[in-house]
Amino acid sequence: MPPNFRAIVPDDAADLVRLWRDAWTATYGPSLGQSTLLAMLKNLEQKGTASMLPGSGERGYCIASDHEIHGSAIFAERRGFAYLWGMYVHPGQQRKGLGSQLLHKVAGVIETAEKIEVRVLVTSPAAIVFYRKHGFTTTGNETIEILDSVEASALVMSTSVESLRA
Ligand SMILES: CC(C)(COP(=O)(O)OP(=O)(O)OC[C@H]1O[C@@H](n2cnc3c(N)ncnc32)[C@H](O)[C@@H]1OP(=O)(O)O)[C@@H](O)C(=O)NCCC(=O)NCCS
């Protein structure tokens, strides 16, 4: 069975933690340094999915096969914008089109927002290329707090939801 796009459910918690641990280790170890990565993983271990996942009005989706979650995306719609985060494809499954599939499917389930916006670390060039490929343009620069007292520079990137649905 090909991987399936679906809403995240509570039973996915352990698989999501595994996906994020592996994706963060591959992405943020090299780019943010070992001590920041270890602090992020400790936070993930302690808080589990609550560190990333849906509070009120926030919606999480994944691409999954029967046995494994290959990718995740979380967004919240506020004042015409869908704010996207938690967009991760497992390192072993990258460059197979799953990230693109996730993004297009997310656009399909956005209810009212006209724009989709994401904050991408400047130290994540692959993700920047990925979003540019999907028509995102840079609208600003921000310093974001990754953890208590750990900050990083990010590009604010956005595109229209309509263009992702086309
Ligand atoms: C960014 C990410 C979600 C993309 O997922 P993916 O499934 O690998 O993406 P796709 O296979 O759909 O790639 C689509 C296109 O994006 C671009 N792209 C994706 N990964 C790339 C990379 N490592 N280097 C250069 N271009 C890349 C390419 O143009 C690619 O098309 P191609 O494979 O035909 O050349 C995934 O690489 C990831 O999880 N990265 C680590 C975490 C991260 O930085 N997430 C973003 C947080 S905002």
Side-chain angles (χ1 to χ4, degrees), residues 46-119:
Q46 285 171 345
K47 294 191 182 157
T49 51
S51 64
M52 297 275 290
L53 241 180
S56 160
E58 301 172 351
R59 294 158 66 193
Y61 287 85
C62 65
I63 294 244
S65 61
D66 283 348
H67 309 293
E68 213 176 333
I69 293 183
H70 299 309
S72 65
I74 305 169
F75 69 92
E77 293 186 61
R78 286 174 195 137
R79 294 175 298 277
F81 278 83
Y83 296 98
L84 176 69
W85 72 94
M87 178 82 189
Y88 294 103
V89 170
H90 192 277
Q93 297 290 337
Q94 290 175 9
R95 298 305 285 272
K96 296 180 180 178
L98 293 181
S100 301
Q101 205 182 321
L102 256 175
L103 197 54
H104 289 299
K105 294 281 190 181
V106 159
V109 294
I110 285 171
E111 287 168 357
T112 56
E114 292 182 356
K115 289 262 190 187
I116 182 164
E117 188 173 279
V118 64
R119 278 147 184 79

Side-chain angles (χ1 to χ4, degrees), residues 16 35 38 47 118 162:
L16 285 170
S35 66
L38 290 177
K47 294 191 182 157
V118 64
E162 201 55 46

Side-chain angles (χ1 to χ4, degrees), residues 36-47:
T36 298
L37 172 65
L38 290 177
M40 291 173 74
L41 295 180
K42 190 172 166 200
N43 191 48
L44 182 62
E45 209 62 48
Q46 285 171 345
K47 294 191 182 157

